[in-house]
Amino acid sequence: EKDGYDYFMLKEIAEQPKAVADTLLGRIDPSGSLTLDELRITPADLRQIDKVVIVACGTAFHAGLIAKYAIEHWTRIPCEVELASEFRYRDPILGGRSLVIAISQSGETMDTLMALRHAREQGSKVLAICNTNGSTIPRESDAVLYTHAGPEVAVASTKAFLTQLVACYLVALYLCQVRGTKWGDEIQAVIKDLSRISDEVERVLETMEPVRALARTLAGKDTVLFLGRHVGYPVALEGALKLKELAYMHAEGFAAGELKHGPIALIEEDMPVVVVVPSPSNRSLLHDKIVSNIQEIRARGARTIVIAEEGDEAVVPYADHLIRIPVTPTLLQPVVATVPLQVFACELAAARGNEVDQPRNLAKSVTVE
Ligand code: F6R
């Protein structure tokens, strides 16, 4: 059933263009308007919402962190993201006008389920973003938007993550459509780019051989750091999580702006540091700042592994290894930027002789709190 791949994880990474396309299918019509009929929360209710709260665990939590940037930028509705396991223990402020989004691949994660039960007890509407038909989380939610990643067998989440991102973008854009916020050229352009994003994922997959080769050379390392800014920050967290769970290496993700506030002390000679670089075309200040971050860590001996857009020449002098990703709008970049990190972790784990599909101590769905 692995279709010739050595691991389910590799097969699932390769299935990502289809998973993304399937999740978009039938939801964007040719005129660029969105149809989310299954949502079951009325436009009138969606217009009332004054706050979005996202709850999730692990990789799904990282999708939520990225969604926050999109939701707030496009809809101007305040959005919080919280680890489901922390949520109900701090007496969160919720009400009838809060929309709680529970993101879960399996639909059975107990922490996320308990968080959504708590939200419903407070009178909030809960929307599940879920990959498993008829599982507990969508059954207990007011509404569900299914991701169509297909079954994910490898313990480490890959294609589910990309489809969670897509589903979050759809919800954010649908909120814009229903509420009329910022509905205009920018949003229309994003919808167009989103509808083409699976082709971009396909293009990234075609260029992964050097990433595999690089990963194999790092099998003897103890630590890998990941840096990013803006939506690249949660991508860095996701890259680090993949490496921890698969390669059993010390891996940490940081917001690059935090480096000087502490983490830069970790940098040692030849320590691999992966940097997710935002597009130079948008938010150029952010881009300049991360380029100086790369310079700083390299001056302290780091081996820099830079993930940057095609055509971004400013990073070239400071990249010991350069991984190119296609040009995408800033908020959609995580869909393409995450893929090399998945491949990197998978290959490193294999090179270290680990069980890629069944990492030690982990289960595919965590049904205890
Ligand atoms: C990481 C991973 C886990 C899950 C987390 C939530 O690769 O698979 O971190 O993302 O346990 O699981 P779901 O999405 O099923 O609620």
Side-chain angles (χ1 to χ4, degrees), residues 86-128:
E86 288 293 320
F87 186 64
R88 69 193 174 111
Y89 299 100
R90 67 167 180 93
D91 192 15
I93 301 168
L94 293 167
R97 297 176 66 189
S98 315
L99 175 67
V100 174
I101 303 179
I103 309 176
S104 176
Q105 187 285 128
S106 62
E108 301 297 346
T109 300
M110 188 56 76
D111 289 312
T112 310
L113 180 61
M114 296 312 275
L116 86 82
R117 282 185 184 159
H118 182 77
R120 293 197 74 198
E121 279 162 19
Q122 311 302 305
S124 304
K125 289 252 188 281
V126 176
L127 165 64

Side-chain angles (χ1 to χ4, degrees), residues 12-312:
E12 290 164 5
I13 288 172
E15 285 169 350
Q16 291 184 115
K18 182 173 184 319
V20 164
D22 287 351
T23 301
L24 290 165
L25 196 72
R27 290 170 170 169
I28 302 179
D29 74 23
S31 73
S33 75
L34 305 178
T35 316
L36 300 183
D37 284 340
E38 355 134 45
L39 212 58
R40 293 203 319 256
I41 301 180
T42 64
D45 280 340
L46 292 177
R47 280 191 280 270
Q48 292 298 311
I49 285 158
D50 63 4
K51 173 171 155 183
V52 175
V53 181
I54 301 177
V55 291
C57 304
T59 289
F61 172 71
H62 297 152
L65 290 176
I66 293 163
K68 175 188 166 83
Y69 288 83
I71 290 172
E72 291 196 339
H73 180 66
W74 292 334
T75 73
R76 310 310 294 156
I77 308 171
C79 175
E80 295 169 18
V81 192
E82 186 143 348
L83 289 167
S85 56
E86 288 293 320
F87 186 64
R88 69 193 174 111
Y89 299 100
R90 67 167 180 93
D91 192 15
I93 301 168
L94 293 167
R97 297 176 66 189
S98 315
L99 175 67
V100 174
I101 303 179
I103 309 176
S104 176
Q105 187 285 128
S106 62
E108 301 297 346
T109 300
M110 188 56 76
D111 289 312
T112 310
L113 180 61
M114 296 312 275
L116 86 82
R117 282 185 184 159
H118 182 77
R120 293 197 74 198
E121 279 162 19
Q122 311 302 305
S124 304
K125 289 252 188 281
V126 176
L127 165 64
I129 290 179
C130 185
N131 196 46
T132 311
N133 247 300
S135 55
T136 311
I137 287 172
R139 269 195 283 119
E140 293 206 15
S141 298
D142 296 283
V144 55
L145 187 67
Y146 280 108
T147 49
H148 296 302
E152 198 178 56
V153 175
V155 164
S157 187
T158 54
K159 60 178 181 170
F161 176 71
L162 259 59
T163 61
Q164 284 161 356
L165 291 178
V166 166
C168 288
Y169 295 134
L170 286 171
V171 170
L173 293 165
Y174 187 69
L175 283 169
C176 279
Q177 176 175 301
V178 166
R179 296 161 65 98
T181 359
K182 274 187 136 191
W183 190 258
D185 292 349
E186 181 194 344
I187 299 294
Q188 287 296 339
V190 168
I191 290 175
K192 217 176 197 169
D193 288 317
L194 184 60
S195 59
R196 286 194 292 245
I197 198 95
S198 79
D199 296 341
E200 306 297 353
V201 176
E202 187 72 65
R203 288 182 51 213
V204 177
L205 288 171
E206 285 160 9
T207 60
M208 287 298 97
E209 212 35 64
V211 176
R212 292 204 173 92
L214 168 64
R216 288 192 290 268
T217 67
L218 300 177
K221 294 284 180 190
D222 300 319
T223 298
V224 181
L225 303 182
F226 294 77
L227 303 176
R229 291 190 79 129
H230 192 260
V231 289
Y233 168 43
V235 172
L237 295 177
E238 175 62 6
L241 178 61
K242 287 279 108 69
L243 205 60
K244 283 175 197 148
E245 65 182 329
L246 293 164
Y248 318 149
M249 288 166 84
H250 171 224
E252 272 193 87
F254 298 109
E258 273 294 293
L259 265 182
K260 57 186 175 300
H261 301 292
I264 198 162
L266 290 168
I267 307 287
E268 283 174 8
E269 195 58 36
D270 210 36
M271 180 184 282
V273 184
V274 179
V275 190
V276 184
V277 180
S279 167
S281 61
N282 306 308
R283 304 169 184 276
S284 52
L285 277 179
L286 207 56
H287 180 268
D288 293 353
K289 285 182 180 150
I290 211 157
V291 173
S292 14
N293 293 146
I294 303 173
Q295 264 175 279
E296 280 157 15
I297 56 171
R298 197 158 182 267
R300 286 162 181 79
R303 170 142 34 136
T304 57
I305 302 167
V306 176
I307 302 181
E309 267 189 7
E310 284 156 6
D312 181 349

